[in-house]
Amino acid sequence: MCIGESTTALGGRNSYPSQLEEVLNTRTRGRKFTIINRGIVATRTGNILAQLENNLDKYKPDMVISMMGINDSFEELLISKGIFDKMPIRSFRLF
């Protein structure tokens, strides 16, 4: 199971979870791998971790791979520059 932000969630067949599944199934004989993509667009680490236990219970993965923190860093940068304080949160979007 792959967890993370939009860098995990987006890309369809080009997403890193899809590519990982293809590589594992191409290079491994006698085994079938299924990668579960639980990436969430425009979220932060706290939200991903808040959903982790439910995802573990629901999917019971053998392994969890995470790539997260990019949105956290972006928000910290905006706060450090004083930009975030001046923006109404409801109008702020991460892409």
Side-chain angles (χ1 to χ4, degrees), residues 9-24:
L10 299 177
R13 291 298 308 157
N14 292 321
S15 69
Y16 89 80
S18 291
Q19 290 181 42
L20 176 60
E21 181 176 282
E22 184 177 336
V23 167
L24 289 172

Side-chain angles (χ1 to χ4, degrees), residues 32-87:
K32 170 86 168 107
F33 291 88
T34 301
I35 303 296
I36 301 161
N37 186 340
R38 295 303 300 157
I40 305 167
V41 176
T43 194
R44 295 188 327 219
T45 300
N47 186 42
I48 296 165
L49 294 177
Q51 296 182 39
L52 181 58
E53 188 172 344
N54 288 335
N55 283 327
L56 292 174
D57 290 342
K58 182 176 180 177
Y59 297 105
K60 300 188 183 344
D62 293 316
M63 182 182 297
V64 177
I65 299 169
S66 69
M67 183 165 66
M68 57 188 155
I70 293 171
N71 291 342
D72 299 339
S73 298
F74 184 66
E75 183 178 303
E76 288 172 16
L77 174 67
L78 292 176
I79 290 169
S80 72
K81 300 286 185 190
I83 297 169
F84 194 77
D85 297 340
K86 298 172 187 170
M87 298 176 68

